[in-house]
Amino acid sequence: MAHGFGATMDSGLLPFAEAFAEAGLDVLLFDYRCFGDSTGEPRQLAWPSRHREDYRAAVDFARGLDGVDPERIVLWGTSWSGGHIVYVAADDPRIAAVISQNGDFDGVRTLREIGRYAGLGQQLRVTLVGVKDAVRGLRGQEPLMLPTVGRPGELAGMTSEESEPGMRAIAGPSWRNEVTGRAVFAEWTNRAITRMDGVRCPILVQIADRDSVAPPAAARAAAWRAKGRVEVREYPCLHFDIYQGEWRERASADQLHFLRRHLSASEAPVTASLTSQT
């Protein structure tokens, strides 16, 4: 399990991990390199291909743990990572199941949605920050940071009306409201939808139908490409609603129901394990 764009494992993920543990599952919850409790430089570097490498490293680590069945590894992702896990599962036929919660499946559609609510001018300003940071990276200089979330009209990666209050409502102590500016270029090629037909295991796709961060239409289109191996659950809520309260309980219950059918998870309680990727 790992989080989405610029987020850390202590930001709304522990209740999901605890629910899995109480159902008898071992949980490996980690931060990407450069974030939270993990090492890595430069700090706050959000880049999909690196995050996918970290997922693969976490899977390899989990397969070597005592008492863990290496053929019953499940990938869980949310928002940005809800797309990362599709790439990882498509390349690893041993993955037993995939849970994608409010997944970002198509970066092109996501950028169009940002353009719709933020406007072309805002996108150009954000892109300029990305260019300046990329140049600084080539020169070996300190990165130029961009706020991860901001209010509508502010300069930030996500500025829909729900973005800042939603993220701050779940933010843990290790979360920092910044990512390296070059992250703005990652979304153009971040298209898990193109890999859905390569995932061989059962997939649960959960969609917040009022999501302003990860377009619901892209998630539905991605599910269509899974060719019968997918189950879709939709919830009448916003993107960040699913991390708290009623919607978290409903999403978590659906995840457990999905895993009980595909993994036969036991009811014996164990303790959730929180491990950082370094």
Side-chain angles (χ1 to χ4, degrees):
M1 296 180 64
H3 221 309
F5 180 71
T8 47
M9 65 179 180
D10 59 3
S11 299
L13 299 196
L14 186 57
F16 292 98
E18 290 173 335
F20 292 140
E22 290 169 2
L25 296 165
D26 296 307
V27 181
L28 180 63
L29 177 58
F30 68 95
D31 283 325
Y32 306 116
R33 75 186 93 168
C34 306
F35 286 90
D37 289 341
S38 287
T39 59
E41 296 290 339
R43 302 303 293 171
Q44 305 299 111
L45 173 58
W47 201 256
S49 61
R50 290 166 60 99
H51 295 349
R52 295 168 202 152
E53 289 173 1
D54 293 346
Y55 262 103
R56 294 184 182 102
V59 169
D60 289 343
F61 177 78
R63 283 180 172 146
L65 293 174
D66 290 339
V68 172
D69 185 341
E71 306 303 323
R72 297 173 73 239
I73 301 293
V74 176
L75 300 181
W76 186 99
T78 186
S79 196
W80 229 23
S81 65
H84 299 340
I85 58 176
V86 170
Y87 282 87
V88 178
D91 292 334
D92 186 347
R94 298 174 66 192
I95 296 298
V98 167
I99 296 173
S100 179
Q101 174 182 277
N102 289 0
D104 179 9
F105 288 97
D106 190 342
V108 174
R109 289 198 188 193
T110 300
L111 289 169
R112 288 174 183 165
E113 178 64 15
I114 292 173
R116 185 191 65 78
Y117 70 69
L120 178 60
Q122 176 79 335
Q123 284 189 306
L124 291 175
R125 292 170 60 206
V126 170
T127 300
L128 181 59
V129 174
V131 170
K132 290 180 178 179
D133 178 53
V135 171
R136 291 172 71 91
L138 292 173
R139 292 175 175 173
Q141 299 174 321
E142 288 294 312
L144 181 63
M145 296 296 184
L146 177 75
T148 308
V149 294
R151 294 188 294 272
E154 293 183 340
L155 189 65
M158 296 182 287
T159 58
S160 65
E161 289 189 6
E162 67 162 312
S163 293
E164 186 183 42
M167 186 65 226
R168 291 195 181 280
I170 64 171
S174 71
W175 178 73
R176 291 162 49 182
N177 188 22
E178 60 180 8
V179 292
T180 55
R182 70 199 76 169
V184 303
F185 299 121
E187 196 69 348
W188 287 106
T189 59
N190 192 38
R191 305 194 70 210
I193 190 171
T194 65
R195 302 298 307 277
M196 283 292 281
D197 58 357
V199 179
R200 302 162 183 83
C201 62
I203 312 166
L204 174 62
V205 174
Q206 296 176 295
I207 303 170
D209 64 11
R210 295 164 54 207
D211 197 325
S212 66
V213 175
R220 297 184 189 108
W224 182 258
R225 293 196 181 195
K227 304 185 188 306
R229 294 180 299 280
V230 67
E231 298 176 28
V232 178
R233 298 288 182 270
E234 297 207 19
Y235 310 89
C237 66
L238 298 170
H239 183 87
F240 288 97
D241 289 344
I242 210 163
Y243 299 100
Q244 301 184 89
E246 173 191 357
W247 301 117
R248 182 188 69 209
E249 295 300 323
R250 289 179 58 175
S252 182
D254 286 342
Q255 292 167 16
L256 286 169
H257 182 65
F258 170 79
L259 292 179
R260 286 192 179 104
R261 285 185 290 110
H262 294 290
L263 296 183
S264 299
S266 73
E267 297 293 337
V270 294
T271 303
S273 171
L274 304 185
T275 303
S276 295
Q277 180 71 34
T278 59

